[in-house]
Amino acid sequence: MLKIKNLQAKVDDKEILKGIDLEIKAGEIHAIMGPNGSGKSTLASVLAGNPGFEITGGEALFEGKDLLDLAPEERAREGLFLAFQYPVEIPGVSNMTFLKTALEEIRTHKGLPPLSAKEFMQLLKQKQELVELKTSLVNRSVNEGFSGGEKKRNEILQLAMLEPKLAILDETDSGLDIDALRVVAAGVNKLRSEQNAFLVITHYQRLLDYIVPDVVHILFEGRIVKSGSKDLALQLEEKGYDWLREEVVGG
Amino acid sequence: MSKDEHLLSTLATNEYDYGFTTNIEMELAPKGLNEDTIRYISEKKNEPEWMLEWRLKAFKHFLQMSMPDWQNFPMPEIDFQGISYFAAPKKNQLKSLDEVDPELLDTFNKLGIPLEEQKLLSGVAVDAVFDSVSVATTFREKLAEQGIIFCSFGEAVQNHPELVKKYLGTVVPQTDNVFAALNAAVFSDGSFAYIPKGVRCPMELSTYFRINSQNTGQFERTLLVADEGSYVSYLEGCTAPMRDENQLHAAVVELIALDNAEIKYSTVQNWYPGDKEGKGGIYNFVTKRGICKGKNSKISWTQVETGSAITWKYPSVILKGDNSVGEFYSVALTRNKQLADTGTKMIHLGKNTRSRIISKGISAGNSHNSYRGQVSIHASAPGSRNFTQCDSLLIGDRCGAHTFPYIENRNSSSVIEHEATTSKIAEDQIFYLNQRGIDTEKAVALIVNGYASEVLNKLPMEFAVEARKLLAVSLDGSVG
């Protein structure tokens, strides 16, 4: 589904990604862990097409298409979704209008007719239950006045509505208490299938207790320095990032 | 616009039924401005002597007045002698839509305006002939059952002289400003409405219902009187961009609310703004004012301004009656080289009066958008309150947003609150929407609509839907 080769990127003349290789297949969940500043969120932003980052080398193919050649909205319509670490507030635009607009764009791209108001409401209600988001929040302006946990659940609601092929969760667990974390993880687990894939970016192993990855990658100073099974995350949790630093620098 | 309204507006804008616009007469209309011009207009309209005298008096004032110089743009040269003052907006009819500015047509298509109506709006000769009298008459009969008078200003002068005499010029005096004086001297026609005591007008009154509104655009005069305990909602304008041969528009609107009456006045103004350089656009110098004459009365202005090369307009409320309420909700969008200097005046004279101002400016391209607002609480108005929220949104880095508040409070028990913000559309907002499959143009439209929603929600529903679409279309190509 996603094939990344030697991807390099910088922001404000600072090199952040120094050659990332990564392949994700349908049905898989990959986790990326790493210390602060290792480039985790940059990787997410670059894949989603954030114009604040400059690609300096490498390539990324998504379902065989040159991802880096597509505008951010085209990537989204092709089925790439980013659950933001810091979801943005859009005053005055109701969550519902936003979801409806986004869903229509994506359905149009797939050649599907727009949903009727009734169909849309039914779908929304069903997905809303999945993430246990209050109806009042669906009617409010996008993310405006939402708590940290509500914002993250709102991201997963969008994920559930838009049904992407590849979802990147950028530190979705940050700022969540344990109950909210369970809700978010349960939502993701219900949404996973043989047809889609997830790239879960996290700083802590905790999330991976609930969303169990097939592969864990460790990102360090802009490179993936280790990949392994979910045990790698446990090992990292136990030994800390210092162990990694020594191992990489030493090796 | 619903199908019905489309039909109505198409029907209502046919020049076929309205007596005074035959081609011959239009050609005979003399250019230039002097007492003879005014006598000519008055005679053509078969006006009584008092009306002519009123016009002539206004003309004398006009001659002694000078152009305003306080607005935040250089006043254009206006050759008052170069204008033909008697209903001649369609003198250079185009033969087909091929002759119309393609960008204008593009906008029509985006707004979903039917072809025949496109022709009408852009000044192309229309072949289709509908019987507009019957539709307009049906509405008028329905209103008449409740004693509501809704007719052209000219008809009101003929049929209801006592009401016109009683209220004309009482809110906007002839001497108010040079454009108001000019309008008083040469006004071509307009609307008149009277809602009798205790009547709640059963439908939104709209210029669509009135025949021939197209031909009165240049110097239009509107007078609305809501008698004790009555309610009326009035809609003016159209979301479709209207092309007009006349560059100068100087309308006057007067609203009078007596005890416990309420008037809601909504405008969507989308006159031709000119090409990208601003050439050929309309100069819109309008004086709109209402008086809450009676106690517990309420006047609410809502406007969405997207058109015209220049907009100079301050719909105001004089809060004379105790406990009266004045409101002003405005969205003004400028782009390309458009200039808007718009806002309101809230003059508190009565006790415990309340006013609320919500102004949302949106500037794009090379445009300049100014909010100018006066809040004046007099010594006679203890216990009064004003709340003003004045926001500016900038799109791009070549436009300007300006705020000119004038605030005075002459008693200690009254409160004035003023909040102002200036913001830009954040790139992270656009990226967030992009990431959900929404392209940048739509993203900006969504953000702008969200920004203006507090005002748009005050519009009657159908109008609000159109206005949202209009804002989106107006911003096409402004970003990126």
Side-chain angles (χ1 to χ4, degrees):
Chain A
M1 183 174 287
L2 180 69
K3 260 187 202 164
I4 303 174
K5 269 189 203 158
N6 193 28
L7 185 63
Q8 299 155 53
K10 63 179 185 180
V11 61
D12 298 334
D13 283 332
K14 194 176 172 234
E15 228 184 323
I16 311 272
L17 300 183
K18 297 172 186 166
I20 302 276
D21 294 288
L22 180 66
E23 184 169 353
I24 300 175
K25 295 195 175 78
E28 290 180 346
I29 293 186
H30 288 235
I32 292 194
M33 300 183 71
N36 288 328
S38 59
K40 302 189 299 288
S41 285
T42 299
L43 177 61
S45 295
V46 163
L47 291 176
N50 188 324
F53 297 82
E54 192 190 335
I55 312 280
T56 49
E59 63 173 35
L61 294 178
F62 180 56
E63 297 277 75
K65 285 187 181 143
D66 183 357
L67 189 69
L68 305 179
D69 207 33
L70 299 175
E73 64 270 24
E74 291 166 336
R75 299 182 195 194
R77 291 173 196 162
E78 288 291 335
L80 186 143
F81 181 95
L82 171 63
F84 284 70
Q85 185 179 1
Y86 303 108
V88 179
E89 298 184 3
I90 306 175
V93 177
S94 84
N95 227 350
M96 200 162 349
T97 306
F98 164 57
L99 282 169
K100 195 156 194 298
T101 309
L103 186 62
E104 261 173 38
E105 291 294 334
I106 285 166
R107 286 183 64 93
T108 304
H109 183 75
K110 287 181 183 164
L112 299 169
L115 292 181
S116 71
K118 198 179 162 198
E119 289 166 330
F120 175 79
M121 291 310 292
Q122 278 169 347
L123 183 69
L124 182 59
K125 190 157 182 282
Q126 179 201 336
K127 303 294 186 182
Q128 211 181 306
E129 280 161 10
L130 196 71
V131 294
E132 298 177 25
L133 196 70
K134 282 179 280 183
T135 303
S136 61
L137 292 182
V138 175
N139 291 322
R140 282 238 299 270
S141 296
V142 178
N143 294 324
E144 201 184 27
F146 284 30
S147 72
E150 286 167 344
K151 282 184 184 172
K152 295 295 172 73
R153 271 189 270 173
N154 199 23
E155 293 293 291
I156 305 302
L157 173 63
Q158 294 165 40
L159 168 62
M161 289 293 288
L162 303 180
E163 298 181 325
K165 290 178 194 147
L166 174 67
I168 304 167
L169 310 185
D170 187 8
E171 305 215 14
T172 298
D173 51 334
S174 69
L176 287 188
D177 60 32
I178 194 74
D179 292 331
L181 186 72
R182 276 203 196 106
V183 171
V184 164
V188 169
N189 286 328
K190 278 180 211 155
L191 292 169
R192 69 180 293 189
S193 74
E194 285 305 307
Q195 279 75 48
N196 61 23
F198 287 82
L199 178 60
V200 180
I201 293 171
T202 181
H203 191 74
Y204 301 104
Q205 193 272 335
R206 191 178 66 159
L207 178 65
L208 305 181
D209 286 341
Y210 299 95
I211 303 172
V212 181
D214 299 297
V215 189
V216 173
H217 308 275
I218 295 172
L219 191 62
F220 186 73
E221 291 184 349
R223 287 191 183 88
I224 290 176
V225 292
K226 244 181 194 319
S227 299
S229 69
K230 66 180 191 320
D231 294 341
L232 184 58
L234 290 168
Q235 210 178 344
L236 194 64
E237 177 87 350
E238 197 181 311
K239 297 184 179 171
Y241 285 113
D242 283 343
W243 156 74
L244 187 72
R245 202 161 280 128
E246 280 160 27
E247 182 143 298
V248 172
V249 175
Chain B
M1 201 186 288
S2 74
K3 263 191 181 160
D4 287 352
E5 269 187 82
H6 261 311
L7 183 65
L8 270 175
S9 116
T10 313
L11 294 177
T13 44
N14 245 288
E15 61 182 303
Y16 151 76
D17 286 294
Y18 209 65
F20 68 81
T21 55
T22 66
N23 285 327
I24 297 159
E25 275 180 336
M26 280 204 288
E27 278 158 26
L28 285 176
K31 254 188 190 175
L33 182 57
N34 52 48
E35 283 204 3
D36 288 342
T37 319
I38 292 160
R39 286 179 197 283
Y40 178 88
I41 294 168
S42 191
E43 192 191 315
K44 282 286 163 198
K45 297 180 69 67
N46 198 21
E47 286 179 348
E49 188 62 23
W50 61 267
M51 194 69 252
L52 173 64
E53 275 167 22
W54 195 80
R55 287 177 180 274
L56 290 172
K57 201 172 127 201
F59 182 61
K60 286 206 180 82
H61 291 306
F62 170 76
L63 291 175
Q64 283 159 18
M65 295 172 84
S66 46
M67 301 289 266
D69 58 1
W70 41 262
Q71 66 283 345
N72 191 31
F73 57 83
M75 183 62 79
E77 283 287 325
I78 295 172
D79 177 12
F80 289 108
Q81 297 303 332
I83 298 171
S84 181
Y85 288 88
F86 190 68
K90 300 211 169 163
K91 61 193 166 195
N92 291 327
Q93 278 209 334
L94 306 176
K95 288 192 188 72
S96 78
L97 281 175
D98 297 343
E99 296 174 44
V100 176
D101 180 357
E103 275 198 32
L104 188 62
L105 291 182
D106 198 35
T107 308
F108 282 146
N109 289 329
K110 283 178 185 160
L111 283 168
I113 294 167
L115 206 62
E116 281 307 306
E117 203 174 331
Q118 291 190 11
K119 290 183 183 171
L120 205 67
L121 292 164
S122 52
V124 175
V126 181
D127 308 323
V129 174
F130 294 96
D131 180 19
S132 63
V133 177
S134 59
V135 174
T137 312
T138 312
F139 279 109
R140 235 189 254 185
E141 277 169 5
K142 200 171 158 193
L143 293 169
E145 279 170 21
Q146 304 204 36
I148 297 167
I149 302 165
F150 183 43
C151 61
S152 76
F153 203 96
E155 287 171 293
V157 169
Q158 303 296 336
N159 303 330
H160 307 283
E162 69 296 342
L163 283 171
V164 176
K165 265 195 221 173
K166 188 171 175 187
Y167 293 109
L168 178 66
T170 59
V171 192
V172 178
Q174 295 178 336
T175 52
D176 192 78
N177 65 71
V178 67
F179 298 104
L182 177 67
N183 177 289
V186 303
F187 71 89
S188 34
D189 211 324
S191 303
F192 176 83
Y194 172 79
I195 320 298
K197 277 183 195 172
V199 171
R200 200 181 159 86
C201 188
M203 63 179 85
E204 316 264 355
L205 293 187
S206 154
T207 41
Y208 289 149
F209 296 158
R210 227 196 47 236
I211 313 164
N212 208 36
S213 61
Q214 299 280 312
N215 282 338
T216 58
Q218 193 177 10
F219 298 104
E220 187 161 3
R221 193 155 186 117
T222 301
L223 178 58
L224 296 186
V225 182
D227 212 328
E228 292 173 19
S230 66
Y231 168 85
V232 62
S233 168
Y234 188 89
L235 311 182
E236 174 201 71
C238 180
T239 49
M242 279 200 260
R243 181 181 160 278
D244 193 316
E245 295 292 328
N246 302 299
Q247 191 161 42
L248 174 65
H249 281 239
V252 169
V253 175
E254 297 181 283
L255 311 182
I256 294 132
L258 301 183
D259 285 359
N260 304 304
E262 181 177 348
I263 300 174
K264 194 172 152 61
Y265 194 105
S266 310
T267 307
V268 172
Q269 185 267 119
N270 191 19
W271 291 103
Y272 187 53
D275 62 13
K276 282 203 166 131
E277 298 303 315
K279 272 186 201 137
I282 302 282
Y283 298 160
N284 195 27
F285 291 85
V286 187
T287 310
K288 291 184 164 180
R289 194 174 303 149
I291 182 166
C292 286
K293 206 169 177 187
K295 60 179 195 296
N296 308 317
S297 54
K298 180 175 175 183
I299 289 178
S300 183
W301 298 99
T302 306
Q303 62 172 21
V304 176
E305 303 280 318
T306 61
S308 297
I310 295 177
T311 299
W312 181 98
K313 178 178 174 188
Y314 315 91
S316 306
V317 184
I318 300 167
L319 296 142
K320 187 158 180 262
D322 292 348
N323 310 313
S324 58
V325 177
E327 292 177 335
F328 174 74
Y329 298 98
S330 170
V331 175
L333 183 152
T334 53
R335 57 181 175 142
N336 294 335
K337 297 222 163 155
Q338 281 180 279
L339 302 166
D341 193 307
T342 183
T344 184
K345 290 193 251 184
M346 292 291 171
I347 312 295
H348 294 252
L349 301 175
K351 291 177 192 126
N352 303 314
T353 45
R354 302 266 185 280
S355 63
R356 184 175 169 84
I357 298 169
I358 308 287
S359 165
K360 303 271 181 179
I362 301 155
S363 326
N366 291 299
S367 68
H368 282 271
N369 201 328
S370 302
Y371 166 80
R372 188 181 301 279
Q374 181 185 5
V375 176
S376 175
I377 300 186
H378 288 236
S380 59
S384 296
R385 289 187 88 98
N386 162 265
F387 174 77
T388 300
Q389 168 92 42
C390 173
D391 297 329
S392 306
L393 185 68
L394 298 167
I395 299 172
D397 53 10
R398 287 165 294 142
C399 54
H402 316 267
T403 305
F404 303 94
Y406 307 79
I407 294 169
E408 61 177 336
N409 187 353
R410 297 238 179 98
N411 71 65
S412 58
S413 62
S414 295
V415 183
I416 296 178
E417 283 177 82
H418 184 100
E419 288 178 13
T421 66
T422 301
S423 53
K424 292 189 83 162
I425 291 185
E427 290 198 352
D428 61 351
Q429 288 178 323
I430 292 180
F431 178 62
Y432 188 70
L433 294 171
N434 284 162
Q435 215 304 304
R436 299 302 184 246
I438 300 165
D439 66 31
T440 300
E441 262 180 22
K442 272 197 185 151
V444 169
L446 258 183
I447 294 166
V448 166
N449 266 308
Y451 164 79
S453 61
E454 200 179 345
V455 172
L456 297 176
N457 290 341
K458 296 286 170 187
L459 289 170
M461 185 137 91
E462 200 135 9
F463 230 30
V465 172
E466 284 181 52
R468 283 184 184 279
K469 217 164 155 189
L470 174 63
L471 286 184
V473 169
S474 301
L475 282 169
D476 269 8
S478 298
V479 182

